[in-house]
């Protein structure tokens, strides 16, 4: 009771005197323990506090010129005080830009901006706390404070030029949290790794490398690396440093340390995110340019709070960017943003040949990115506790990591000539993960009440894989009647009697049975096999006919939505399970290209053993120009959307 009361008195005393300084108290045996500054004020944080400053803290911007707000972080040792002011790029402001993780926003801490106390997210508060200097003010650009997050009109103006804000910064600061390195880790020596990769087998490196491993493990597992916005923040930076507490490393030195870690633990896949960002920086310095569609495809698995940012975060970096084509409008629905992207792709000229090949895949990808849901999960890793880290002067580590890079460390603490052994405890942290994609509904993306002609046609390049040779049973009867299913199989066997391809076709039939059965078992998985509506109809077949299975002329099986008939061509597209059923129409005028004769949608199975619809992956085949083999279809957004519905799972 005495010790508990004493510890409580010490904490309350320090909290009342100077709550924003680190608090120290001694626990018998364990030695000094550090209490982070934010713990005490966070006990009194309102549960519903916003992680953004109030509206009154934003001085107005002059939108007649390209302007921005900068943050002056005032010197001191108590509290956090700063001032914001508006300036323009014409004034050549000197500032450092902060790149950090916003966090969940459920924990906020107090800060004084322009004399008004407001609150910001815990991670931002910590970053400012450690960046603050006791004597000199720090000039920074911080998105949560320098952009009025309450003003959608302002965000629409500022967000498209955020890449320029980071490019103009004297330095971009990556904040990974208060993770000071262990005492034996020599940062000045590690800084030279960017120029001379280390030989960690040598004694002078081996001495402290074992302590560096769990520290690097912590830094590489920071949620920061999963954010969407950091891609342009890191990619555009001229000078880049990685900060952890009061200390930092140049970006190139940090990347060299990560590369050394990967060399020791080849299966440590979490290093890939750092490597991908460094590859982006290097290739841009070497003159490589990237299209908008390339960026959203490569970094599709990054996270952001607002679905619009899966698109808007790449506007500035893309070489084919035009703010007139994709406005950063946060008041739009995701369906409207999808329409903006599709129109942009239709009008963009960079990598035109590649965009034609990727058009169908990109349509499905953009919709999935805009509607993907995330889940907070509890991850349990073998990471050290704060107590073990704070006992550094009296602690040594052994058995640092296994061959997979998983930490199996144990620590011993010396106190009064005795050893106290502590298991390297499991550390729990909340991480974000993607939920399985939900089935799409056509009416979520197409407004059928708007029947105005669509002026933007998108060109999709595909490969003609054959024609519909004959139809089999309807999907419904195939799935619900064993008699119908077996009868079709026997008819195929008899038709191919004596044919050398009989065995392969029967194997494909079995694969078709598995694929259709699996999708039927999933709720709404076969909802796409409805007519392509509202503007694609067959003149000779009723769109109310049920979807049917069919055999292709070049030895494949497929499924077609209503409207298809024998002799129609089957067109596949790169990276998509969706196939277009195309019909030649001699009566169409030369100017009427919308739809290009696409009368139905389908999917096929051919060579291979995958239990899914065939998805072409060889992009080189689609680059071939050969009449009768490749084809360009000109599709409006409604037709393209209906044709690609539920064609991509992520």
């Amino acid at each position: 009771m005495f010790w508990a009361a004493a510890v409580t008195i010490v904490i309350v005393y320090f909290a009342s005197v100077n709550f924003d300084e680190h608090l120290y108290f001694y626990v018998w045996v364990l030695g000094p323990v550090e209490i982070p500054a934010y713990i005490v004020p966070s006990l009194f944080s309102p549960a519903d506090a916003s992680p953004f400053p109030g509206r009154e803290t934003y001085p107005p911007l002059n939108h007649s010129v390209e302007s921005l707000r900068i943050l002056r972080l005032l010197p001191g040792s108590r509290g956090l005080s700063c001032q914001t002011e508006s300036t323009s790029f014409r004034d050549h402001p000197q500032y450092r830009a902060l790149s950090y993780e916003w966090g969940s926003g459920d924990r906020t801490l107090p800060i004084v901006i322009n004399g008004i106390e407001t609150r910001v997210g815990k991670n931002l508060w910590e970053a400012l706390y450690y960046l603050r200097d006791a004597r000199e003010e720090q000039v920074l650009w911080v998105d949560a404070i320098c952009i009025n997050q309450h003003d959608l009109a302002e965000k629409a103006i500022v967000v498209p030029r955020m890449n320029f804000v980071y490019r103009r910064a004297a330095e971009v600061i990556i904040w990974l949290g208060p993770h000071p390195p262990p005492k034996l880790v020599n940062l000045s020596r590690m800084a030279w790794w960017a120029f001379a990769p280390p030989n960690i087998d040598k004694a002078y490196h081996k001495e402290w490398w074992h302590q560096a491993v769990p520290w690097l493990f912590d830094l590489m597992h920071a949620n920061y690396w999963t954010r969407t916005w950091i891609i342009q923040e890191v990619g555009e930076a001229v000078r880049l440093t990685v900060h952890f507490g009061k200390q930092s490393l140049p970006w190139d030195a940090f990347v060299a340390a990560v590369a050394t870690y990967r060399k020791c633990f080849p299966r440590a896949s979490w290093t890939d995110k750092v490597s991908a960002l460094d590859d982006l920086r290097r290739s841009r310095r070497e003159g490589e340019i990237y299209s908008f569609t390339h960026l959203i495809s490569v970094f599709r698995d990054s996270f952001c709070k607002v679905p619009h940012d899966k698109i808007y975060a790449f506007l500035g970096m893309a070489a084919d960017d035009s703010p007139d084509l994709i406005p950063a409008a946060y008041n739009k629905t995701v369906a409207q943003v999808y329409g903006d992207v599709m129109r942009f792709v239709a009008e963009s000229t960079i990598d035109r040949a590649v965009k034609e090949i990727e058009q169908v895949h990109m349509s499905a990808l953009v919709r999935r990115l805009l509607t993907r849901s995330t889940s907070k999960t509890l991850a349990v890793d073998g990471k050290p506790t704060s107590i073990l880290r704070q006992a550094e002067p009296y602690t040594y580590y052994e058995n640092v990591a296994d061959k997979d890079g998983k930490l199996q460390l144990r620590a011993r603490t010396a106190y009064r000539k005795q050893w106290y052994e502590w298991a390297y405890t499991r550390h729990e942290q909340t991480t974000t993960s993607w939920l399985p994609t939900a089935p799409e509904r056509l009416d979520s993306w197409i407004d059928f009440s708007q029947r105005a002609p669509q002026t933007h046609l998108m060109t999709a390049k595909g490969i003609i894989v054959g024609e519909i040779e004959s139809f089999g049973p309807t999907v419904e009867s195939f799935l619900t009647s064993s008699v119908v299913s077996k009868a079709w199989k026997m008819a195929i066997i008899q038709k191919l009697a004596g044919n050398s391809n009989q065995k392969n076709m029967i194997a494909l039939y079995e694969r078709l049975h598995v694929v259709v059965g699996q999708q039927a078992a999933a709720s709404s998985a076969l909802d796409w096999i409805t007519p392509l509506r509202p503007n694609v109809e067959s003149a000779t077949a009723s769109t109310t006919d049920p979807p049917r299975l069919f055999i292709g002329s070049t030895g494949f099986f497929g499924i077609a939505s209503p409207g298809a008939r024998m002799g129609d061509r089957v067109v596949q597209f790169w990276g998509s399970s969706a196939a277009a059923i195309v019909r030649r129409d001699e009566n169409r005028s030369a100017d009427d290209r919308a739809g290009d004769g696409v009368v139905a949608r389908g999917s096929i199975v051919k060579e291979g053993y995958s239990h899914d619809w065939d998805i072409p992956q060889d992009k080189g085949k689609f680059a071939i120009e050969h009449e009768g083999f490749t084809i360009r279809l000109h599709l409006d957004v409604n037709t393209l959307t209906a044709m690609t519905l539920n064609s991509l799972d992520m």
Side-chain angles (χ1 to χ4, degrees):
M1 288 294 293
F2 170 78
W3 286 108
V7 169
T8 303
I9 292 172
V10 170
I11 292 177
V12 172
Y13 169 75
F14 275 102
S16 62
V17 174
N18 190 3
F19 69 80
D20 68 329
E21 296 298 331
H22 279 63
L23 309 176
Y24 293 87
F25 64 92
Y26 282 80
V27 178
W28 186 61
V29 175
L30 289 181
V33 177
E34 184 180 14
I35 304 296
Y38 56 80
I39 287 182
V40 175
S42 67
L43 293 175
F44 306 99
S45 298
D48 58 348
S50 169
F52 308 122
R55 300 173 186 269
E56 65 278 2
T57 61
Y58 299 101
L61 291 177
N62 179 9
H63 293 306
S64 64
V65 295
E66 291 197 33
S67 57
L68 73 161
R69 293 186 189 90
I70 57 174
L71 173 73
R72 296 189 179 275
L73 182 58
L74 302 180
S77 59
R78 291 173 175 269
L80 281 179
S81 295
C82 56
Q83 296 175 347
T84 57
E85 63 182 56
S86 299
T87 184
S88 73
F89 288 108
R90 290 180 180 179
D91 299 326
H92 306 288
Q94 295 298 306
Y95 60 91
R96 296 188 294 167
L98 183 63
S99 178
Y100 67 105
E101 180 205 2
W102 277 20
S104 62
D106 56 353
R107 293 187 63 185
T108 62
L109 296 170
I111 183 173
V112 176
I113 303 178
N114 298 335
I116 302 172
E117 182 173 302
T118 183
R119 307 187 75 84
V120 295
K122 168 180 167 290
N123 192 46
L124 174 56
W125 192 95
E126 288 183 326
L128 296 176
Y129 173 84
Y130 281 99
L131 290 173
R132 181 183 58 186
D133 187 86
R135 296 179 178 83
E136 297 181 3
E137 78 172 14
Q138 305 296 308
V139 183
L140 304 170
W141 188 89
V142 181
D143 56 359
I145 298 177
C146 296
I147 301 176
N148 188 343
Q149 303 295 332
H150 308 282
D151 189 343
L152 295 183
E154 178 180 309
K155 291 177 68 175
I157 296 172
V158 177
V159 166
R161 60 171 180 251
M162 277 181 62
N163 69 305
F164 190 67
V165 173
Y166 281 90
R167 190 186 306 166
R168 280 282 289 107
E171 177 187 8
V172 172
I173 299 168
I174 292 177
W175 171 252
L176 296 182
H179 299 295
K183 298 296 188 295
L184 291 182
V185 174
N186 189 328
L187 290 182
S188 60
R189 178 182 294 171
M190 190 178 287
W192 284 97
W193 288 12
F195 310 100
N199 179 0
I200 59 172
D201 292 329
K202 290 186 177 180
Y204 69 90
H205 277 140
K206 186 182 295 185
E207 176 185 357
W208 56 269
W209 173 248
H210 283 184
Q211 285 207 15
V213 165
W215 172 64
L216 287 171
F217 183 94
D218 268 353
L219 297 184
M220 287 183 292
H221 276 75
N223 284 333
Y224 170 86
W225 303 110
T226 66
R227 288 183 57 236
T228 300
W229 278 106
I230 70 166
I231 297 160
Q232 79 167 1
E233 295 166 4
V234 171
E236 295 287 2
V238 176
R239 183 183 174 209
L240 189 62
T241 55
V242 181
H243 285 243
F244 25 81
K246 285 288 186 183
Q247 296 170 285
S248 64
L249 272 176
W251 170 259
D252 290 342
F254 178 75
V255 170
V258 171
T260 304
Y261 188 104
R262 185 62 180 264
K263 193 178 297 183
C264 295
F265 311 110
R267 288 187 279 186
S269 59
W270 49 80
T271 63
D272 292 343
K273 293 183 176 66
V274 179
S275 301
L277 289 170
D278 190 57
D279 290 343
L280 177 67
R281 283 178 55 81
R282 292 178 183 276
S283 60
R284 283 171 64 82
R285 288 201 297 264
E286 294 168 359
E288 191 75 35
I289 60 175
Y290 294 106
S291 68
F292 172 78
T293 52
H294 173 83
L295 289 171
I296 65 172
S297 180
V298 170
F299 296 104
R300 66 175 69 185
D301 288 324
S302 57
F303 295 102
C304 56
K305 283 188 175 182
V306 182
H308 300 58
D309 284 338
K310 293 295 289 187
I311 304 300
Y312 299 159
F314 301 105
L315 292 179
M317 286 191 69
D320 52 356
D321 171 50
S322 171
D324 295 331
L325 294 175
I326 305 183
Y330 287 89
N331 58 345
K332 288 191 172 184
T333 66
V334 292
Q336 291 171 323
V337 175
Y338 165 68
D340 289 342
V341 175
M342 290 298 98
R343 284 187 290 274
F344 165 76
V345 173
E347 297 183 11
S348 174
T349 57
I350 187 174
D351 289 344
R352 188 67 254 166
V354 176
K355 280 189 172 67
E356 290 179 354
I357 294 173
E358 297 177 347
Q359 180 67 75
V360 169
H361 170 79
M362 194 56 57
S363 171
L365 176 61
V366 170
R367 293 197 309 274
R368 287 304 193 190
L369 292 181
L370 288 171
T371 55
R372 275 177 111 180
S373 299
T374 59
S375 173
K376 298 290 185 180
T377 56
L378 188 65
V380 181
D381 297 312
K383 298 170 67 176
T385 65
S386 58
I387 288 180
L388 292 183
R389 282 202 293 265
Q390 298 307 324
E392 293 291 359
Y394 313 103
T395 303
Y396 76 87
Y397 299 110
E398 58 185 5
N399 302 323
V400 175
D402 64 15
K403 62 182 179 180
D404 296 329
K406 295 180 180 178
L407 300 180
Q408 302 293 336
L409 193 61
R410 298 179 71 83
R412 290 181 178 179
T413 302
Y415 184 78
R416 294 182 180 176
K417 298 182 180 181
Q418 298 184 50
W419 289 103
Y420 295 87
E421 186 171 284
W422 301 83
Y424 196 77
T425 60
R426 296 195 309 173
H427 174 76
E428 296 182 350
Q429 65 174 359
T430 301
T431 59
T432 306
S433 58
W434 292 113
L435 293 174
T437 50
E440 295 182 286
R441 292 177 54 88
L442 193 58
D443 55 10
S444 298
W445 300 101
I446 296 177
D447 185 358
F448 295 111
S449 65
Q450 302 295 324
R451 299 299 298 268
Q454 301 191 34
T455 57
H456 295 276
L457 296 181
M458 286 141 281
T459 303
K461 189 177 182 181
I463 291 177
I464 303 171
V465 294
E467 298 179 350
I468 297 179
E469 186 176 88
S470 63
F471 280 106
T474 65
V475 175
E476 178 67 19
S477 60
F478 182 73
L479 290 172
T480 58
S481 173
S482 60
V483 175
V484 170
S485 175
K486 185 173 182 179
W488 192 39
K489 180 178 181 179
M490 297 307 299
I492 294 170
I493 293 173
Q494 294 174 6
K495 181 179 179 180
L496 297 175
N499 191 315
S500 60
N501 198 36
Q502 183 191 60
K503 185 176 180 180
N504 291 336
M505 289 296 289
I506 296 302
L508 279 180
Y509 168 87
E510 297 297 340
R511 178 182 163 191
L512 175 72
H513 209 297
V514 171
V515 173
V516 175
Q518 284 181 340
Q519 293 215 343
S523 175
S524 304
L526 290 174
D527 278 359
W528 61 262
I529 47 177
T530 55
L532 290 185
R533 54 190 176 96
N535 58 336
V536 180
E537 297 178 354
S538 169
T540 58
S542 171
T543 57
T544 59
D545 289 344
R548 303 180 70 90
L549 303 174
F550 67 85
I551 300 176
S553 59
T554 55
F556 60 89
F557 287 91
I559 183 174
S561 64
R565 70 183 185 190
M566 288 189 293
D568 288 342
R569 293 182 294 179
V570 180
V571 179
Q572 277 193 295
F573 305 94
W574 175 82
S576 178
S577 63
I581 311 299
V582 180
R583 181 173 308 152
R584 297 182 182 89
D585 188 352
E586 305 297 338
N587 297 322
R588 290 167 65 96
S589 67
D591 295 331
D592 182 16
R593 300 193 304 167
D596 262 358
V598 178
V599 295
R601 175 201 165 165
S603 289
I604 68 172
V605 292
K606 49 182 185 178
E607 69 275 357
Y609 300 96
S610 171
H611 289 170
D612 205 347
W613 300 113
D614 189 68
I615 301 177
Q617 299 292 344
D618 186 356
K619 197 176 291 186
K621 288 183 178 180
F622 291 83
I624 299 172
E625 297 290 349
H626 189 279
E627 187 176 356
F629 178 69
T630 56
I631 184 174
R632 285 179 172 83
L633 301 177
H634 303 280
L635 310 169
D636 59 49
V637 68
N638 285 359
T639 304
L640 182 63
T641 303
M643 195 177 73
T644 58
L645 204 69
N646 290 312
S647 62
L648 180 65
D649 290 326
M650 297 176 66

